[in-house]
Amino acid sequence: MIVVLAALATEDQLQYRDIRDRVNQGEVRPGNGTDVSPLSDQSLTKTLKRAQDHGLVRLFADEGQFKPTWYELTRKGAEALRAVRPIIEWMHRYDTGQ
């Protein structure tokens, strides 16, 4: 969920495909073939739904049959991201051997 919140922190609002693309461009997992995306549509859908349920992201949708949707980070989501940032930085420090 953290990588999804981090992707949303880069813009005011992002569409679903933009969130997926940003996460998949930045997420590298050992043993993951180049033809396999680290974050599947199914996983992203579930993650966004959980984040909405917890008040971390907000969904906006236009009217119509094929309505575009946008997601944005809520204040609570931004606070959660700030709270875990030191842990992420600690993990990267030991992951890169610094």
Side-chain angles (χ1 to χ4, degrees), residues 79-97:
E79 289 175 7
L81 192 56
R82 278 193 300 276
V84 299
R85 184 164 279 139
I87 295 169
I88 295 167
E89 290 171 357
W90 174 83
M91 289 174 14
H92 284 292
R93 183 171 52 242
Y94 286 97
D95 187 40
T96 60

Side-chain angles (χ1 to χ4, degrees), residues 2-67:
I2 299 303
V3 294
V4 171
L5 297 180
L8 283 165
T10 63
E11 300 275 338
D12 288 338
Q13 294 180 342
L14 286 174
Q15 289 189 317
Y16 179 94
R17 70 177 179 276
D18 297 324
I19 298 168
R20 182 196 59 221
D21 293 347
R22 285 178 189 216
V23 170
N24 285 335
Q25 288 171 359
E27 185 77 4
V28 178
R29 296 185 182 169
N32 192 19
T34 57
D35 60 334
V36 179
S37 297
L39 181 65
S40 69
D41 284 332
Q42 181 180 10
S43 293
L44 178 56
T45 299
K46 288 179 180 179
T47 299
L48 286 169
K49 177 67 174 125
R50 280 195 329 265
Q52 283 179 270
D53 291 346
H54 291 289
L56 302 174
V57 301
R58 189 175 301 117
L59 169 67
F60 295 93
D62 284 345
E63 301 280 330
Q65 185 177 4
F66 297 105
K67 56 186 179 196

